[in-house]
Amino acid sequence: MSSALSAPWFFWAVALAVGFPVVLVLLTEIHNALRRRGSLLARPVQLLRNYILPLGVLLLLLVQAIEVSGDATPVRIVSTVFCVVVLILLLSGLNATVFQGAPEGSWRKRIPSIFLDVARFALIAVGAALILAYIWGANVGGLFTALGVSSIVLGLALQNSVGQIISGLLVLFEQPFQLGDWIETSTVRGRVVEVNWRATHIDTGTGLQIMPNSALAAASFTNHSRPHGSHTFSVTTVFAVDDPRDDVCAMLNTVASRLPQLRPGGTPSSHAVGGLQYTTSIPVRSPADDFAAKVTFLRWVWYASRRAGLHLDEAEDEFETPERVSRSLAIIAPTLRLTQDEADALLPHARLARYGTDEYLQIVGDVPKRMMFIVNGRVRLEAATEDGGVVDVRTLEAGDFLGQTALTREPVTASARALSEVTVLHLGRERIEELVGRKPVLLQVIGRAIEDRRADISRAVTTAAN
């Protein structure tokens, strides 16, 4: 009995018999906890528990407890399997901790997949070389020499493919673009979504364009995402020769400054470029916003040019006819308590105007010079919160009015945005003052509307803050 206790294998056998189940239970609890949290480390821990721990215990049992020679074939086989699984664990753990768990926008998230492939290949090659050299006693130097000669033969046979791989590496080492950048070549324009051994994948919006790396390395291209926060695109419009150029440029700048895609802090600029053409430069957050910003800009310019009496594409606006103005006055007559004679008297002073979907009829801080009465369409009042957000206050429909603070000459406290095409009838401040002078009840209605709107804005902002 004493001889067994003093034998070296005895303590190894006891340590393995006690330590293996304890470590197994511990790893099981850690794996369950990581899986409940959805952690990316759950898979590496599972690999450690199911394969590496049993293989390590088996290897120690053979070498230390049973005292089998390390040169024996069973020991070498178990050692090889153990090292291969450890190599897999290193690859899995590196991918989970460094790349899969990387935050959005970090360099680890943007790194091209080709670099990951190169790192994996290098790790596998070094691991295989160590296994062959230290476990099986292979002549690794001679093996690498043979592989070098073979690689020369394969390189000559596959020089086109290898050339694309080298071109891809050269492009990526120089890093003229990153994943997510917008580039433009002579044949394609889009966003870089993937770079692999052979080609760069570019999302054009209508499909995925596969561009060989050798073509990118040999040709010039434009990176619209560099430098960051400086992308600007231009839109060309045409107006009539009699339209005042300063008025046209001011109208274009006003429309562009209200685009939702406008880059924060950016300032649009418009210039006459000769003939009847005008160019508007619009700074946006990303090239991805170009199409949406251009479509919205051209749609809003169509409405804004007609409101300003300008002639987009040299077209005449025949919307504001006396008959249509008269019908519009009949719609808002109940709101203003108008008789037929009073409506007829207002006819020469009323103006019809149209606004496009999502266009702003008024902005917080504006001091209105006229009141607007909704003839058709719907308008949403919006208020700004302390944190810079926007909350809905109420929706206005036909018969409702805006710009009631024109009488008090106070700035408006809510923005008004069209939910669809909206037609409004404008009445200047002088006409409204004449009406309320003859109709004190109308002044009470407008004053009550001012107070109600302020209460609605306060309530909406307070609700959003809570």
Side-chain angles (χ1 to χ4, degrees):
M1 183 67 180
S2 59
S3 60
L5 292 175
S6 60
W9 58 265
F10 178 78
F11 294 102
W12 279 104
V14 173
L16 293 176
V18 175
F20 175 64
V22 172
V23 176
L24 187 63
V25 171
L26 181 62
L27 290 177
T28 300
E29 294 300 323
I30 294 175
H31 174 260
N32 292 336
L34 292 174
R35 188 176 60 182
R36 285 193 299 268
R37 291 165 49 190
S39 174
L40 297 174
L41 295 175
R43 185 174 180 274
V45 172
Q46 184 182 19
L47 190 66
L48 180 63
R49 181 197 63 182
N50 293 346
Y51 298 100
I52 294 181
L53 179 62
L55 286 172
V57 170
L58 178 59
L59 185 61
L60 289 175
L61 186 64
L62 289 174
V63 176
Q64 301 294 339
I66 304 179
E67 296 182 345
V68 179
S69 173
D71 295 331
T73 301
V75 175
R76 289 184 173 182
I77 293 175
V78 174
S79 300
T80 301
V81 175
F82 177 79
C83 292
V84 169
V85 177
V86 169
L87 190 60
I88 295 174
L89 176 65
L90 290 176
L91 292 172
S92 177
L94 181 66
N95 189 49
T97 56
V98 179
F99 300 107
Q100 287 185 354
E104 291 293 336
S106 65
W107 67 269
R108 291 181 294 165
K109 199 69 173 179
R110 296 192 306 265
I111 191 169
S113 60
I114 188 172
F115 287 149
L116 303 183
D117 294 338
V118 170
R120 292 190 188 100
F121 178 79
L123 189 58
I124 291 173
V126 172
L130 293 176
I131 291 173
L132 291 174
Y134 289 98
I135 296 179
W136 296 97
N139 183 6
V140 180
L143 179 61
F144 279 123
T145 301
L147 289 176
V149 175
S150 302
S151 64
I152 294 175
V153 177
L154 289 175
L156 293 175
L158 303 174
Q159 54 182 330
N160 291 333
S161 300
V162 174
Q164 291 178 2
I165 293 174
I166 299 301
S167 298
L169 288 174
L170 292 176
V171 168
L172 292 175
F173 277 124
E174 185 184 354
Q175 286 194 333
F177 56 81
Q178 296 177 339
L179 293 182
D181 283 358
W182 283 74
I183 65 174
E184 182 176 359
T185 69
S186 58
T187 58
V188 65
R189 182 179 187 274
R191 183 170 60 91
V192 178
V193 295
E194 183 182 349
V195 180
N196 56 32
W197 291 97
R198 190 187 69 84
T200 298
H201 295 193
I202 302 174
D203 184 4
T204 63
T206 58
L208 198 63
Q209 181 79 26
I210 310 301
M211 177 70 66
N213 291 326
S214 56
L216 280 177
S220 61
F221 56 88
T222 303
N223 188 342
H224 293 287
S225 299
R226 301 282 186 88
H228 296 289
S230 63
H231 178 65
T232 299
F233 77 99
S234 299
V235 183
T236 300
T237 50
V238 175
F239 287 84
V241 67
D242 293 332
D243 289 337
R245 296 196 170 192
D246 288 346
D247 292 350
V248 173
C249 291
M251 182 272 297
L252 293 173
N253 288 336
T254 300
V255 172
S257 65
R258 295 181 176 180
L259 290 173
Q261 298 86 5
L262 187 70
R263 186 172 69 244
T267 303
S269 61
S270 300
H271 306 278
V273 294
L276 307 178
Q277 293 186 341
Y278 295 79
T279 297
T280 303
S281 298
I282 305 174
V284 293
R285 293 183 292 265
S286 163
D289 296 325
D290 285 2
F291 180 76
K294 181 177 181 180
V295 170
T296 303
F297 176 75
L298 292 176
R299 179 163 53 86
W300 287 1
V301 165
W302 189 91
Y303 291 97
S305 61
R306 282 157 171 76
R307 294 196 302 269
L310 304 173
H311 305 85
L312 178 67
D313 295 329
E314 302 183 85
E316 294 287 342
D317 185 20
E318 300 178 354
F319 176 75
E320 191 178 15
T321 62
E323 294 78 9
R324 187 172 280 119
V325 175
S326 178
R327 291 196 299 269
S328 301
L329 279 171
I331 293 175
I332 68 170
T335 303
L336 292 177
R337 274 74 171 172
L338 296 178
T339 64
Q340 185 60 47
D341 292 339
E342 290 172 332
D344 293 339
L346 282 176
L347 186 60
H349 307 287
R351 278 207 57 215
L352 279 181
R354 287 177 292 178
Y355 291 83
T357 304
D358 290 330
E359 196 174 1
Y360 281 95
L361 285 74
Q362 68 179 27
I363 302 293
V364 173
D366 291 346
V367 178
K369 298 179 181 179
R370 63 184 68 88
M371 285 188 66
M372 293 180 285
F373 298 86
I374 301 174
V375 176
N376 60 47
R378 297 189 305 142
V379 176
R380 175 172 292 165
L381 292 181
E382 300 174 342
T385 60
E386 294 182 356
D387 58 358
V390 175
V391 295
D392 297 339
V393 178
R394 66 160 62 175
T395 299
L396 307 180
E397 298 181 347
D400 291 323
F401 52 84
L402 292 164
Q404 61 274 9
T405 57
L407 290 174
T408 60
R409 291 174 170 81
E410 294 177 315
V412 297
T413 54
S415 299
R417 182 169 59 88
L419 297 179
S420 59
E421 184 182 90
V422 173
T423 302
V424 298
L425 188 136
H426 287 170
L427 287 177
R429 180 187 297 141
E430 297 79 7
R431 305 283 83 78
I432 299 299
E433 289 176 346
E434 291 177 3
L435 285 175
V436 299
R438 298 195 306 267
K439 301 175 183 290
V441 66
L442 182 58
L443 182 60
Q444 295 177 5
V445 171
I446 294 176
R448 187 164 54 248
I450 294 175
E451 296 301 324
D452 290 345
R453 299 274 175 88
R454 287 175 177 171
D456 290 342
I457 293 170
S458 178
R459 185 163 47 251
V461 171
T462 302
T463 302
N466 296 333

